[in-house]
Amino acid sequence: MQVGNGATKICSYLNENKIPIPSIYKHQKGLKFNCPTVKYDQRITYQVEKGDSLVAIADKYQSTVKEIIQYNSIESEEITEGQIIIIPVVHVWRTNTIYNLLKNEVYIGTLIQHKNEIISYKNKKERTIPKEQRIVVPHCHEAIIDKETWNIVSARFERYRKVKSNKKGEISLFSGKLKCGCCGHALYRDYHERGNKTYSYWLCGNRYGTAKFLCNNKKLVNEQEIEKIILDEINKELNIYYDKSLVEEKYYEHKVVNSLEDEIKLLQKEKKELENNISKKQNTISLLYEDRANGIIDLTEFTMIKNKNSIDIGHFQERLKNIESELLDLNKKKLEKYDTEKILKKYKKIESLTRNILDEFISKIHIGYYNSETKTRKMEIEWNIST
């Protein structure tokens, strides 16, 4: 490993040489350490590329051919270009981990304490303490990095720090909305300036953050391209809603809403009757105790009548649970229909997207592979409306 390499090259070197990440290394050494951010059941969706072999794929993702064959239920090691396989993956180095290690002052002999504190004796959650309020003790132990090298690295971090928002301090239109359709990781936004224009694009955070080690969803997607597709899809939904040829369908939907309300009323009526029956049965059991105490009925009669009423109460209570569940589902469907109609009625046609409009219509957007032959990319939308 050469001196002067960046975090990406360091990350790539560590992954290629199968060096365990810090949390795994601590476990291997028998140390009691738990990292809440480490996912122990990580899986990657991989599209086989030309010239790929299971041996090469397994080696690249630190898996084994046997594990891949068993997990995908395939009969041999033969794979074809374009085939989709699921790969069980071990934990890999990420550039963020490298950056955190390079910024850790413990390596220059500084001890930092009181980084976190419990909010209160009632609330056991922890909060992060601002840097200026932490306890910092320099020269506490032997340094493994000299101060001069540390200052050089710190200066570089300050110089090359990326700004997440634009020049106006605005958050991106798609921030938190885009997911990789292959591995499920959030997409990462980057941009470059050419002349007086700024061009934004998105790429898989798993691929970017691991020096291209995880996920082969490699082609960048232009932000304007996503915006155009999403705008078209939203307007399609609006066109369907306002299309005069769908009067009959709208009438049917109206009937569906009415039938939902009728079903809710019937269930509510049955629920009330069941509650009354349970109350009557419980009163009967209470009177039985009095009759038994007064000698009006013997033990055999008491036991038989009590058991029968208790069984009836059990059946009634079981039905009540089912009714509560059914009512919850029906009310949810009813609200979804009303919420969808409320949103759609606000707009006729949308000329440009805003963050508010996007939040109303869409929860997540999954960006899949780019097919170089058809020049298309699969994109799935999680709607907030009942489409």
Side-chain angles (χ1 to χ4, degrees):
M1 194 70 192
Q2 295 179 349
V3 176
N5 282 326
T8 300
K9 284 190 176 180
I10 295 171
C11 180
S12 181
Y13 173 85
L14 293 171
N15 284 327
E16 287 172 2
N17 288 274
K18 301 184 179 180
I19 308 298
I21 62 173
S23 58
I24 299 300
Y25 177 80
K26 289 174 183 178
H27 277 294
Q28 290 174 351
K29 293 297 180 182
L31 299 174
K32 292 182 179 180
F33 177 79
N34 179 44
C35 181
T37 59
V38 173
K39 298 178 181 179
Y40 292 96
D41 58 347
Q42 192 174 10
R43 300 289 182 267
I44 295 297
T45 304
Y46 183 86
Q47 186 179 40
V48 177
E49 297 178 348
K50 189 176 181 179
D52 270 342
S53 67
L54 276 187
V55 174
I57 294 170
D59 184 63
K60 178 182 177 182
Y61 290 96
Q62 295 190 3
S63 186
T64 65
V65 172
K66 184 179 179 182
E67 283 180 311
I68 296 174
I69 288 175
Q70 288 178 345
Y71 197 83
N72 292 274
S73 300
I74 52 181
E75 297 179 355
S76 68
E77 294 186 19
E78 292 184 6
I79 50 176
T80 57
E81 183 181 353
Q83 183 179 347
I84 304 296
I85 56 176
I86 308 298
I87 307 168
V89 182
V90 298
H91 308 294
V92 296
W93 286 88
R94 296 177 181 273
T95 50
N96 283 344
T97 308
I98 307 295
Y99 286 130
N100 290 334
L101 288 174
L102 293 173
K103 292 176 183 177
N104 195 340
E105 292 183 61
V106 71
Y107 299 117
I108 58 170
T110 302
L111 177 66
I112 302 176
Q113 293 184 318
H114 194 51
K115 294 181 180 179
N116 302 294
E117 68 177 6
I118 295 173
I119 294 175
S120 72
Y121 73 94
K122 291 183 179 179
N123 189 344
K124 300 301 180 183
K125 289 184 178 180
E126 290 189 347
R127 64 182 170 195
T128 303
I129 302 299
K131 288 184 178 181
E132 60 273 12
Q133 296 178 20
R134 297 174 184 176
I135 300 170
V136 181
V137 185
H139 313 297
C140 192
H141 53 264
E142 186 180 353
I144 61 173
I145 299 175
D146 62 88
K147 187 68 175 176
E148 185 180 352
T149 303
W150 173 266
N151 288 337
I152 292 171
V153 173
S154 298
R156 285 186 180 180
F157 276 130
E158 189 65 29
R159 209 162 46 237
Y160 295 114
R161 185 174 55 192
K162 285 188 177 181
V163 179
K164 299 297 180 183
S165 56
N166 62 18
K167 292 179 180 179
K168 296 180 181 179
E170 297 169 337
I171 297 172
S172 164
L173 178 67
F174 295 104
S175 180
K177 293 286 184 185
L178 302 181
K179 293 282 186 181
C180 177
C182 305
C183 67
H185 199 281
L187 261 63
Y188 170 85
R189 179 176 181 254
D190 209 341
Y191 58 90
H192 67 270
E193 294 183 356
R194 187 182 297 167
N196 296 324
K197 290 186 178 181
T198 300
Y199 298 90
S200 299
Y201 55 89
W202 294 80
L203 63 159
C204 176
N206 228 355
R207 183 173 175 81
Y208 173 84
T210 61
K212 303 181 179 179
F213 190 75
L214 291 181
C215 192
N216 67 332
N217 192 3
K218 56 189 176 183
K219 187 170 176 62
L220 309 177
V221 55
N222 188 285
E223 188 167 292
Q224 290 180 329
E225 179 187 339
I226 303 173
E227 188 172 349
K228 183 181 183 306
I229 292 170
I230 297 304
L231 184 61
D232 289 344
E233 289 299 320
I234 290 176
N235 279 320
K236 278 181 189 177
E237 295 300 321
L238 289 170
N239 288 338
I240 291 171
Y241 182 75
Y242 286 106
D243 193 339
K244 300 302 180 184
S245 66
L246 295 177
V247 171
E248 291 182 3
E249 186 176 332
K250 294 299 170 187
Y251 172 71
Y252 171 73
E253 287 180 1
H254 181 69
K255 286 184 69 176
V256 169
V257 172
N258 286 338
S259 66
L260 284 174
E261 290 177 346
D262 290 341
E263 197 170 346
I264 289 170
K265 287 178 182 178
L266 286 173
L267 286 172
Q268 287 173 336
K269 183 180 178 182
E270 185 183 353
K271 179 185 173 184
K272 189 174 181 180
E273 290 174 355
L274 284 168
E275 289 171 341
N276 289 334
N277 287 335
I278 289 171
S279 180
K280 288 177 182 178
K281 294 289 182 180
Q282 288 173 337
N283 288 334
T284 300
I285 291 174
S286 297
L287 291 172
L288 274 176
Y289 281 99
E290 292 182 18
D291 290 344
R292 175 68 187 121
N294 294 328
I296 297 174
I297 57 174
D298 59 26
L299 181 59
T300 303
E301 290 174 314
F302 170 81
T303 304
M304 184 176 65
I305 298 171
K306 178 179 175 296
N307 287 345
K308 184 182 182 305
N309 281 278
S310 296
I311 291 169
D312 289 342
I313 289 173
H315 290 156
F316 294 152
Q317 288 175 336
E318 187 65 31
R319 177 56 186 154
L320 267 179
K321 286 181 183 178
N322 293 335
I323 287 176
E324 291 290 351
S325 179
E326 289 175 35
L327 283 171
L328 194 66
D329 289 340
L330 289 171
N331 279 309
K332 186 179 178 182
K333 288 179 183 177
K334 184 179 167 185
L335 283 172
E336 283 175 355
K337 286 187 176 294
Y338 285 142
D339 288 345
T340 296
E341 192 169 351
K342 185 180 177 182
I343 292 170
L344 291 171
K345 278 183 176 179
K346 285 174 65 176
Y347 307 97
K348 291 284 185 180
K349 183 180 179 181
I350 298 172
E351 299 295 337
S352 62
L353 280 180
T354 66
R355 182 70 192 192
N356 286 339
I357 291 173
L358 198 63
D359 283 337
E360 280 186 309
F361 281 89
I362 291 171
S363 172
K364 297 290 178 189
I365 304 163
H366 300 268
I367 309 292
Y369 294 105
Y370 177 80
N371 189 319
S372 56
E373 292 182 1
T374 60
K375 295 184 179 181
T376 57
R377 186 192 295 272
K378 187 177 181 182
M379 193 178 293
E380 293 182 357
I381 299 172
E382 287 184 31
W383 293 95
N384 286 330
I385 60 175
S386 300
T387 57

